[in-house]
Amino acid sequence: MADPFLGTPYRRSAHDSPDKQVAESRGDGRWGGDAHGCRYASRGSNLANIYLHYVFDLWAERWRHRTVRENVIFVRYADDIIAGFEHEADARRFLTDLKQRMEQYALSLHPDKARLIEFGCFAANNRARRGLGKPETFNFLGFTHICGRAYRNGKFILIRMTRRDRMCSKLRDIKEELRRRMHLSIPEQGKWLCQVVMGFFAYHAIPTNSKRIVSFWYHVIELWRCTLCRRSQRDYFTWDKISRLASYWLPSPRILHPWPNIRFAVNHPRWKPGA
């Protein structure tokens, strides 16, 4: 397959099965018609990333230099893409061109996720002047992004909070696993819960997300207490007792990652879109 815009060849093997070709053309990482679905799923994610590098990354970089003179920001992780523009007309033009670009490769945008929203430091004031409500939010990489204000000076701040549905799903998985580990010793349960909580904090303990990580930590302790109480009719754990166990085995909720501007300044000394 040749890229009509960049002239970059993308070859598909003639020995690929029809199901594999369809999944590959969608770029969604799902493979069909084979018993080794797990192995193909990971391989499909890597191929989707390579595929979108030619379909989107190189095309978007050329598009921004040819079409828009203002600042434009593209962020892509696998098949999740965010594009930021200064003017609404540029955003609408990009969405139209992107749909045409995807159709050339038998791809399509998700009808519910592909949308235009007014977001940023001026979004709240602009919507208030038009008599509209708060700016819309969007989900990206497991976080809900919200337009907020700093408590100290009232300036705009990007609030990132763990998606509620993802956290509830994680807590349900922990509840089921605790039931399977119900009759293990408390040290074994504590070591396992420590690894789970540390793994959650390693990704979600970012600035502006303290409420969610504290809520997750609290619910994990409550699930642990309920599990220990179910082991026997005589065994009853009060909050004082479970709090002592939690303070010994579980890490305390705290922010582990720096603010994005500090991390960006370290990795990219030049503050420039696309640098």
Side-chain angles (χ1 to χ4, degrees):
M1 181 183 296
D3 189 330
F5 194 85
L6 299 174
T8 304
Y10 178 81
R11 298 179 181 178
R12 174 177 294 146
S13 173
H15 301 287
D16 290 347
S17 64
D19 291 337
K20 184 177 178 181
Q21 291 183 6
V22 170
E24 186 174 331
S25 66
R26 286 199 304 257
D28 57 2
R30 294 185 287 113
W31 300 83
D34 197 285
H36 304 285
C38 295
R39 178 168 58 87
Y40 281 153
S42 60
R43 185 187 302 175
S45 300
N46 294 332
L47 288 178
N49 197 22
I50 298 174
Y51 191 55
L52 286 176
H53 173 71
Y54 292 104
V55 175
F56 177 80
D57 294 346
L58 301 180
W59 169 83
E61 189 66 20
R62 185 72 64 87
W63 183 91
R64 68 183 289 186
H65 290 295
R66 289 187 173 183
T67 309
V68 182
R69 296 185 179 275
E70 304 294 340
N71 291 331
V72 179
I73 296 178
F74 295 115
V75 179
R76 183 180 71 83
Y77 184 86
D79 58 348
D80 294 331
I81 302 171
I82 290 181
F85 301 87
E86 292 189 8
H87 303 288
E88 181 181 355
D90 295 335
R92 295 189 178 278
R93 186 185 307 115
F94 173 77
L95 183 59
T96 302
D97 295 345
L98 179 60
K99 290 181 179 179
Q100 297 176 358
R101 174 69 173 179
M102 293 297 177
E103 291 175 356
Q104 296 177 4
Y105 295 89
L107 300 174
S108 62
L109 301 178
H110 196 285
D112 297 330
K113 295 181 180 179
R115 57 195 178 101
L116 290 175
I117 64 172
E118 188 175 8
F119 196 89
C121 55
F122 304 110
N125 294 332
N126 293 339
R127 292 176 63 88
R129 284 196 295 267
R130 299 196 301 268
L132 302 177
K134 296 180 180 180
E136 297 182 61
T137 63
F138 65 92
N139 297 324
F140 186 64
L141 300 182
F143 293 98
T144 300
H145 294 68
I146 308 169
C147 291
R149 296 288 179 181
Y151 290 109
R152 296 182 179 179
N153 50 24
K155 293 183 178 180
F156 170 80
I157 185 174
L158 174 62
I159 299 177
R160 296 180 295 169
M161 302 184 69
T162 303
R163 289 178 54 175
R164 186 183 301 273
D165 56 341
R166 296 285 179 86
M167 191 176 76
C168 292
S169 176
K170 183 64 176 178
L171 290 172
R172 284 194 296 267
D173 295 340
I174 294 175
K175 181 180 180 180
E176 295 178 0
E177 186 63 25
L178 278 174
R179 288 186 176 182
R180 287 192 289 266
R181 299 170 180 259
M182 180 186 302
H183 296 290
L184 296 179
S185 64
I186 291 180
E188 290 178 319
Q189 295 181 6
K191 290 179 181 179
W192 175 75
L193 282 176
C194 179
Q195 294 177 352
V196 173
V197 174
M198 288 181 62
F200 186 87
F201 288 172
Y203 184 79
H204 294 271
I206 62 174
T208 71
N209 196 34
S210 57
K211 291 183 178 179
R212 288 292 167 84
I213 63 175
V214 171
S215 177
F216 178 82
W217 176 80
Y218 170 82
H219 283 91
V220 167
I221 297 176
E222 174 63 16
L223 291 174
W224 194 13
R225 188 188 70 85
C226 293
T227 302
L228 294 177
C229 290
R230 290 170 62 93
R231 298 204 300 184
S232 172
Q233 294 180 353
R234 299 180 180 180
D235 199 358
Y236 181 74
F237 276 77
T238 62
W239 260 105
D240 293 336
K241 188 174 182 179
I242 197 65
S243 297
R244 290 194 298 269
L245 290 177
S247 62
Y248 182 80
W249 289 108
L250 302 184
S252 301
R254 61 187 182 90
I255 301 301
L256 301 178
H257 298 283
W259 287 89
N261 58 342
I262 299 177
R263 173 174 292 178
F264 186 84
V266 174
N267 297 332
H268 304 277
R270 298 175 302 162
W271 194 96
K272 181 180 179 182

